[in-house]
Amino acid sequence: MDPHQHSPESSSEECTVLEVPPPGRNACPQHAGKVAEVYCSSCECVLCEECVQEHNQQHDQKPLELILEQQRSVLQEQQGAAYSRLPEISDALSFVREILLQLTNQRASIDEDIQSSFEDLHKQLDVRKSVLLMELEVTYGLKQKVLQAQVESLVLGEGALSASLSQAEEALSGEACAAGLQAEQQLQQRLGDLTGLRLTCEPQENDQLDLILETDGMRKSIHNLGTIVTTSAVASQSEAMGAGLEQCIVGHPASVTIVTRDKSGGACKSGNAIMSAEVFTPDGSIVDGEILDHKNGTYEFVYTVPKEGDFSLALRLYDQHIKGSPFRLNVNKFLEADVEVSPSTTTATNSAAYATPSTGSSEGAKRRGKSPGQKKKGSKRASSALGTPRRKTQNPIEDDLIFRIGSKGRNKGEFTNLQGVAASSSGRILIADSNNQCVQIFSNEGEFKSRFGVRGRSPGQLQRPTGVAVHPTGDIIIADYDNKWVSIFSSEGKYKTKLGSGRLMGPKGVTVDQEGHVIVVDNKACTVFIFQLTGKLVSKFGSRGNGDKQFAGPHFAAVNKNNEIIVTDFHNHSVKVFTPEGELVMKFGSNGEGNGQFNAPTGVAVDVNGNIIVADWGNSRIQVFDGSGSFLSYINTSADPLYGPQGLALTSDGHVVVADSGNHCFKVYRYLQ
């Protein structure tokens, strides 16, 4: 038995560190049966009557009861201080985690921007693209490391403080005793140390990851194309100064200079930070102003106040108030010919309580006074080609190109960034024409039949169609990446309904299983969703990562005769096969140019024999595998090379149709099954 534990029959009066002895039983540790009544502060020990006679009389000795009472009071006071600190740490932890999540999401969005922006460029752009992606990863890694370290520090601080508080609660729930005195003193010291622990609660980084990509004159300046834009500026260290905080005359422009600083207080040397500024009038309206980015870490906000009164000046960096913001401004009306302006004309003081209107939403802040510069590019699908494929020469399937349809444009039979492809049992080929916001329909022979789609963000409109499929009922199913839903149209192109709204983040590919369920590949969420045609969610699986059941930018899907779902995992350079319940059946492929390897797979289809046909985007080729994932061969496309193939399907007459996105056309090949 543990020496600190007692059996039910035990009559011992000893106690554990946190146990409280019976009332009045402050036993002397030196003399059995004696009660300690005195505490020696010099020796930090309790004394009974005999101990006092033997003890050094020059030591500081006080009644034990008084010491116990004082100690309990100090511990309670320290406990209160610790409790008051805990919410601050918890709030900071949530806030930093949110910034880290936003940073990660922005990184994913920019990754797609880079891929899409390089779509129409030639082979030499691939080198620069790789540099940009590497710069993105390095920049993201540095910022992520700072935020992750802060998260871990806050988690440790929160955990240690919570654990000590629990011990303090347990100690305070019993009566004070001499045996527990030392433990309480130690607990007090620990709480004091933890409460005074210097945990940085202000975010140590921001979530900005922007891409500036100039397209004018690109071919002349290809070597230096693209820049990953960010700063290390944090609002808690950045500050404002200048005449606009000292003098403000009605009708006269006032200027404020903002100096951005990093987590250590060092001045940032580059621009492009997301800065906003607002001046609120007494009635709550907003005064117009302009922010000038000097591109050296400093910004100038110029504004003009139309009337006298008390005003609020709010300066925000990444939607967080900088030091001293919001400021209180008192504006007076003076005519230049009548009076000399002195510093006493106006005052500017920090007053968060006064400037309540300036704590409006960040959206309001971005509406006016936002720093100029490059506009963030919207999320785009990765669909670039990397030039002429380096193809192996062994075992080509001797199939030939039957025909190609399309060129770049916006008319019938022309395409701009075509993505998904579907083939119907009625002999139709459907093309998701992404940047033209429509679906075009052709016969198996390539004859144009119809097109439908109106650009917009309302139900029934298309903003960025990337995937298309045909339901056994004849309905046309369209994945709309930017609208974040899947639209259902009749076979004639009449809008019927939508599904996945509020659940999907970036649907890319879509297909239908043998039970009529709609399979949606959410590229942005890295998740596969399974819906009924009514919109009811059946199941979902997958998350972001490189594990067997994870994805990194999944693109398209197909379903085999076993109703298994085959998904192309773009950035993981592999193809994965799952049961409808999301259990991994198998995966195949690795990064490379050899047979059976991929450089970002995209379109996928399954033939009647269960063979899997995969569009290899980065290698600009089409590979064929058997049902177990073993490489068989590739489609011979050498007569008219592909340039970044996307969606792929098998037509009702057994041919392979592929969206040749880089060449702005679709191609149909003979396929020997």
Side-chain angles (χ1 to χ4, degrees):
M1 179 181 292
D2 189 300
H4 294 295
Q5 295 180 333
H6 304 281
S7 66
E9 297 80 12
S10 173
S11 61
S12 170
E13 296 179 350
E14 294 179 356
C15 62
T16 64
V17 173
L18 293 180
E19 288 182 345
V20 180
R25 300 298 179 88
N26 294 329
C28 176
Q30 301 296 328
H31 301 92
K34 298 294 184 177
V35 177
E37 297 179 347
V38 176
Y39 180 78
C40 176
S41 300
S42 302
C43 299
E44 297 184 347
C45 65
V46 295
L47 307 172
C48 67
E49 184 177 354
E50 292 186 21
C51 294
V52 170
Q53 295 176 359
E54 302 170 356
H55 209 70
N56 190 333
Q57 299 301 314
Q58 295 181 352
H59 284 191
D60 183 16
Q61 301 179 11
K62 294 181 181 179
L64 178 60
E65 293 298 329
L66 175 62
I67 295 298
L68 291 175
E69 182 179 350
Q70 291 176 345
Q71 174 58 42
R72 182 57 58 94
S73 176
V74 172
L75 178 59
Q76 289 174 336
E77 181 180 351
Q78 194 64 66
Q79 181 191 37
Y83 267 123
S84 65
R85 185 74 195 281
L86 188 60
E88 179 187 3
I89 297 176
S90 298
D91 291 344
L93 177 60
S94 298
F95 189 35
V96 174
R97 277 176 169 162
E98 181 182 354
I99 293 177
L100 179 58
L101 177 61
Q102 292 172 349
L103 175 69
T104 302
N105 291 339
Q106 186 66 2
R107 174 255 181 186
S109 176
I110 291 177
D111 185 278
E112 293 182 64
D113 286 345
I114 294 172
Q115 301 285 3
S116 180
S117 297
F118 279 80
E119 177 185 359
D120 295 326
L121 300 180
H122 209 270
K123 180 180 178 180
Q124 62 267 31
L125 291 181
D126 184 53
V127 175
R128 182 59 186 169
K129 184 189 74 170
S130 298
V131 171
L132 278 175
L133 289 174
M134 182 181 299
E135 184 181 345
L136 173 63
E137 291 297 330
V138 170
T139 305
Y140 166 77
L142 293 174
K143 296 169 76 68
Q144 186 268 352
K145 183 177 180 181
V146 172
L147 289 171
Q148 187 61 47
Q150 187 179 7
V151 166
E152 292 173 358
S153 175
L154 291 170
V155 167
L156 289 175
E158 181 184 43
L161 198 56
S162 297
S164 296
L165 286 170
S166 297
Q167 293 179 0
E169 285 287 349
E170 185 177 353
L172 293 172
S173 64
E175 296 185 21
C177 69
L181 180 60
Q182 184 178 3
E184 289 191 7
Q185 289 174 333
Q186 294 174 351
L187 186 56
Q188 173 203 344
Q189 181 64 39
R190 187 159 59 252
L191 280 174
D193 293 343
L194 290 173
T195 303
L197 189 63
R198 299 186 63 182
L199 290 175
T200 304
C201 293
E202 293 295 334
Q204 296 296 284
E205 254 294 359
N206 59 63
D207 61 345
Q208 184 188 11
L209 277 177
D210 287 335
L211 172 69
I212 294 180
L213 196 61
E214 299 285 355
T215 56
D216 294 339
M218 181 182 296
R219 297 188 181 278
K220 295 181 180 179
S221 58
I222 193 73
H223 180 70
N224 297 313
L225 178 64
T227 302
I228 299 298
V229 175
T230 188
T231 75
S232 296
V234 293
S236 60
Q237 296 291 336
S238 300
E239 53 193 353
M241 60 190 69
L245 297 179
E246 299 171 356
Q247 296 180 355
C248 189
I249 309 301
V250 172
H252 289 251
S255 174
V256 176
T257 298
I258 301 99
V259 179
T260 57
R261 300 186 183 279
D262 61 22
K263 63 177 182 177
S264 302
C268 297
K269 303 298 184 182
S270 61
N272 295 298
I274 299 177
M275 176 73 64
S276 63
E278 295 172 326
V279 176
F280 286 84
T281 63
D283 60 6
S285 59
I286 303 174
V287 174
D288 285 327
E290 181 181 2
I291 294 179
L292 177 63
D293 184 352
H294 293 299
K295 303 297 182 182
N296 61 359
T298 66
Y299 304 79
E300 184 177 0
F301 176 55
V302 180
Y303 64 96
T304 303
V305 181
K307 56 185 177 182
E308 294 180 279
D310 293 326
F311 294 79
S312 302
L313 170 59
L315 298 173
R316 295 183 179 91
L317 179 66
Y318 301 107
D319 290 334
Q320 301 168 45
H321 285 285
I322 68 170
K323 276 186 180 180
S325 177
F327 300 90
R328 177 177 176 178
L329 303 177
N330 180 261
V331 183
N332 294 320
K333 184 176 183 180
F334 292 91
L335 297 177
E336 292 183 59
D338 296 337
V339 66
E340 178 181 356
V341 178
S342 67
S344 62
T345 300
T346 179
T347 60
T349 59
N350 304 342
S351 176
Y354 172 87
T356 302
S358 69
T359 59
S361 69
S362 62
E363 187 169 337
K366 294 176 181 178
R367 211 167 42 239
R368 297 175 183 267
K370 186 170 181 180
S371 57
Q374 291 295 329
K375 183 179 179 181
K376 288 185 180 180
K377 297 171 69 66
S379 297
K380 298 180 181 178
R381 279 278 5 110
S383 59
S384 164
L386 303 181
T388 303
R390 290 180 286 271
R391 190 177 285 115
K392 303 299 179 181
T393 58
Q394 62 185 34
N395 300 330
I397 296 178
E398 294 299 335
D399 291 345
D400 298 319
L401 175 68
I402 301 175
F403 60 82
R404 59 177 285 171
I405 299 293
S407 58
K408 188 173 184 179
R410 296 189 176 276
N411 297 317
K412 296 177 181 179
E414 296 179 338
F415 307 98
T416 306
N417 191 23
L418 66 168
Q419 296 276 304
V421 176
S424 72
S425 58
S426 60
R428 294 290 185 265
I429 297 173
L430 295 85
I431 306 294
D433 192 0
S434 182
N435 288 13
N436 286 334
Q437 291 85 28
C438 70
V439 169
Q440 299 198 47
I441 303 176
F442 300 80
S443 70
N444 279 356
E445 294 72 37
E447 179 185 358
F448 176 83
K449 292 296 183 181
S450 64
R451 62 182 282 180
F452 65 90
V454 176
R455 179 179 182 178
R457 296 188 177 273
S458 299
Q461 297 178 322
L462 301 176
Q463 186 65 23
R464 192 176 166 198
T466 53
V468 61
V470 180
H471 196 271
T473 61
D475 288 340
I476 300 172
I477 305 167
I478 303 173
D480 193 330
Y481 190 92
D482 280 358
N483 278 332
K484 302 179 182 180
W485 63 55
V486 172
S487 296
I488 311 295
F489 291 82
S490 70
S491 58
E492 292 79 26
K494 303 296 183 182
Y495 175 72
K496 299 178 71 172
T497 187
K498 63 182 173 72
L499 57 86
S501 181
R503 294 183 183 272
L504 303 174
M505 296 175 61
K508 169 74 175 182
V510 65
T511 189
V512 180
D513 70 8
Q514 295 183 6
E515 297 178 1
H517 294 146
V518 179
I519 313 297
V520 183
V521 180
D522 193 326
N523 172 271
K524 203 164 190 178
C526 294
T527 302
V528 174
F529 290 84
I530 304 177
F531 295 95
Q532 294 180 357
L533 196 59
T534 60
K536 180 180 179 180
L537 179 65
V538 177
S539 64
K540 65 177 182 177
F541 60 87
S543 61
R544 184 179 298 277
N546 55 13
D548 287 348
K549 296 183 180 181
Q550 294 181 310
F551 304 105
H555 268 46
F556 294 99
V559 177
N560 64 19
K561 60 184 178 182
N562 297 324
N563 208 35
E564 294 167 338
I565 303 169
I566 306 168
V567 184
T568 53
D569 196 353
F570 190 84
H571 291 295
N572 283 331
H573 310 289
S574 62
V575 174
K576 298 176 179 178
V577 182
F578 298 87
T579 66
E581 294 74 32
E583 294 299 320
L584 181 70
V585 177
M586 67 172 182
K587 69 173 183 177
F588 58 91
S590 61
N591 188 211
E593 301 172 358
N595 293 338
Q597 293 185 309
F598 301 111
N599 186 357
T602 47
V604 61
V606 182
D607 68 18
V608 294
N609 297 317
N611 295 321
I612 302 170
I613 310 164
V614 183
D616 189 356
W617 175 81
N619 290 323
S620 288
R621 63 184 178 182
I622 302 172
Q623 299 193 73
V624 183
F625 302 82
D626 66 17
S628 63
S630 297
F631 174 77
L632 293 178
S633 194
Y634 55 84
I635 303 293
N636 186 359
T637 61
S638 58
D640 188 3
L642 296 171
Y643 193 29
Q646 283 278 347
L648 181 148
L650 277 169
T651 64
S652 58
D653 53 359
H655 297 147
V656 171
V657 55
V658 61
D660 191 355
S661 187
N663 287 319
H664 310 289
C665 67
F666 72 87
K667 296 174 180 177
V668 176
Y669 295 92
R670 277 185 288 271
Y671 174 66
L672 301 180
Q673 299 189 47

